[in-house]
Amino acid sequence: MSEKLESKILIIGASGFGREVLCCILDMLPVNTPHLKEQIFFMDTEEFYSKTKEVSGFKVIDPQTFNENDYKVSVAIGNPKIRENVVQDLPKNTVFQTVIHPTAVKSQWVKIGNGSIITAGCILTTDIVIGEHSHLNLHTTVGHDCNLGAYLTTAPGVNISGACTFGKWVYFGSNSSVRQGINITDDVTIGMGGVVVKNISESGIYVGNPVKKLIK
């Protein structure tokens, strides 16, 4: 077994989901892989976390010292638009790592966008396209023939039925679900436990069973 990974790994986002992504990465590596604390690092652009020296025993680097040639990068920030801003602010030649937990189940007919993170227990069936820098959290399921836009984000326990099409920056709260054949436009948030049974053509926050747009 090699003494070093092929490339050092940088997790951008040093709060809760960043630590969960660390767990995913560690589970992807052979047991007892040596020198991991010299090869896996965190970085955060928020002042509170950027001043932290370690997260779960792994070093947090100063953003000013970041060199894109040194790392493969995973952006572990839950908010889809903030995640996109971070991705776009990074140098053009940054190499992004796609993280897929070993317990995730996916067929050979699934295309997962660059830089996406698929956590433990997710199930992706067949003829699915997931856009770049998407996050599927614990035990998310996606049915056949779905085309899901970039920066998709699911909290744990989300169920997406077959033949759905989503735009960009779609966010699902825990235990929400989507009926088969649903289209959802850009920049839509579905609240916890929300049930989507009709197409959503307007951006906004939707809650309830069935979901209705939340008017502030």
Side-chain angles (χ1 to χ4, degrees):
M1 180 172 58
S2 173
E3 290 294 306
K4 295 285 186 180
L5 303 178
E6 291 183 5
S7 177
K8 291 190 289 187
I9 294 170
L10 181 67
I11 301 169
I12 298 181
S15 58
F17 189 63
R19 286 179 279 125
E20 292 182 340
V21 172
L22 172 65
C23 293
C24 284
I25 291 170
L26 294 178
D27 286 346
M28 292 166 63
L29 298 173
V31 177
N32 298 323
T33 300
H35 308 299
L36 287 177
K37 292 187 178 181
E38 301 170 12
Q39 300 171 83
I40 301 175
F41 300 86
F42 284 91
M43 186 175 81
D44 207 301
T45 55
E46 288 190 27
E47 184 176 359
F48 174 80
Y49 294 108
S50 65
K51 292 182 178 179
T52 303
K53 293 183 178 180
E54 288 189 351
V55 172
S56 300
F58 289 80
K59 184 179 178 181
V60 178
I61 69 167
D62 186 329
Q64 295 182 348
T65 69
F66 170 70
N67 184 333
E68 69 275 14
N69 298 314
D70 292 340
Y71 304 96
K72 287 185 176 179
V73 174
S74 290
V75 182
I77 294 172
N79 183 294
K81 288 192 171 180
I82 295 176
R83 182 159 75 246
E84 183 182 41
N85 289 339
V86 169
V87 168
Q88 292 183 342
D89 285 344
L90 292 169
K92 296 296 184 183
N93 59 333
T94 299
V95 176
F96 295 101
Q97 177 174 240
T98 300
V99 175
I100 302 175
H101 193 274
T103 65
V105 177
K106 71 178 187 67
S107 74
Q108 62 183 302
W109 301 284
V110 175
K111 296 180 180 179
I112 297 173
N114 186 38
S116 293
I117 298 169
I118 313 297
T119 63
C122 292
I123 300 175
L124 312 176
T125 60
T126 186
D127 297 297
I128 296 166
V129 177
I130 296 176
E132 64 181 5
H133 299 288
S134 292
H135 291 175
L136 301 188
N137 214 323
L138 304 169
H139 299 284
T140 291
T141 66
V142 182
H144 61 87
D145 300 298
C146 283
N147 193 331
L148 311 180
Y151 298 93
L152 170 70
T153 306
T154 72
V158 171
N159 300 123
I160 300 168
S161 300
C164 290
T165 301
F166 300 163
K168 198 174 182 181
W169 314 303
V170 177
Y171 183 99
F172 288 93
S174 296
N175 297 312
S176 52
S177 58
V178 186
R179 183 177 65 82
Q180 180 164 319
I182 292 295
N183 297 329
I184 298 178
T185 192
D186 295 342
D187 196 16
V188 168
T189 295
I190 306 298
M192 292 178 63
V195 179
V196 184
V197 297
K198 294 182 180 180
N199 294 340
I200 297 178
S201 58
E202 293 183 3
S203 299
I205 299 172
Y206 292 76
V207 297
N209 179 6
V211 296
K212 295 181 180 180
K213 190 173 184 180
L214 185 65
I215 306 299
K216 294 183 180 181

